[in-house]
Amino acid sequence: MSAVDDSPIVLPDDPSFGWEVQVDYPGYRSTLWRAPQRPLVTMPEELHDLAGPVYGDETVSPLDADLTRQHEGEPIGERIVVHGRVLDEDGRPIPNTLVEVWQANSAGRYKHYVDQHPAPLDPNFSGAGRCLTDSEGRYRFTSILPGPYPWRNHHNAWRPAHIHFSIFGRLFTQRLVTQMYFPGDPLFAYDPIMNSIRDPESRKLLIARFDIDSTTPEWALGYEWDIVLGRGGRGATPFEEDGR
Ligand SMILES: [Fe+2]
């Protein structure tokens, strides 16, 4: 794949320099504890040289991309299809890269011991999936619409409905983590996580587009969302600081 740039992402010494996301955003309380206080440490050179991750055909099953078929019954909620492409900054597709997702159920509850808020768990929904992009950089998941949930960051704090995404780039050191949102959510203006992205135009890059073409009659609503792996430039999908 000669067209692919395999150079490692270079991190700046100043933690806040050049990044779209304010890593110590006061409105998002826990960032004050985990934002870097010192210059970043450069990863050992030998990690940059690892030509991976590499996933065999048997490692990732096509069923892993369908979060509605992981249990005996179907999960409760509005069935959705989320699809798009993983691209580099020049619009070139990134094929065969691992895309992982995790999300709350339709009631806004994670299947995780830390999440104890009084909404029901769904025995037919675990909320995690993965797939590899195809030769054109495309990914596709079937799931249910996640619900908003309270998160105690401040008084009356509710997260907009979202799906967490992790994307491996071309090297082990290039795992990137972000969140995808759904269009028209009334909670956007109140969400410190979304608003820790400095540029309002960049925030929009995290919002999927309702897609009638992938909406399936009598079955599921479709959403399209492209992910642009960049170095913090305009047009690149903003990523969380711990996923850089
Ligand atoms: Fe979440």
Side-chain angles (χ1 to χ4, degrees), residues 88-157:
D88 69 15
E89 279 178 306
D90 298 319
R92 296 176 298 191
I94 300 182
N96 205 41
T97 200
L98 183 67
V99 180
E100 298 168 290
V101 293
W102 62 99
Q103 63 166 93
N105 68 23
S106 61
R109 176 95 183 255
Y110 283 101
K111 188 180 180 182
H112 191 283
Y113 71 97
V114 168
D115 188 349
Q116 296 294 328
H117 104 265
L121 286 169
D122 184 339
N124 291 315
F125 192 72
S126 296
R130 60 184 183 168
C131 74
L132 292 171
T133 56
D134 68 11
S135 61
E136 296 179 324
R138 296 187 185 282
Y139 72 87
R140 185 182 183 92
F141 291 100
T142 302
S143 188
I144 51 100
L145 186 69
Y149 58 80
W151 63 303
R152 298 182 177 175
N153 180 74
H154 54 278
H155 174 67
N156 213 8

Side-chain angles (χ1 to χ4, degrees), residues 78-83 140-141 180 182-183 208-217 219-225:
E78 179 184 320
R79 202 179 292 108
I80 57 174
V81 169
V82 178
H83 72 103
R140 185 182 183 92
F141 291 100
M180 186 210 87
F182 294 85
R209 179 182 73 85
F210 171 68
D211 179 24
I212 193 69
D213 292 330
S214 64
T215 294
T216 312
W219 180 250
L221 292 183
Y223 293 90
E224 183 178 26
W225 186 55

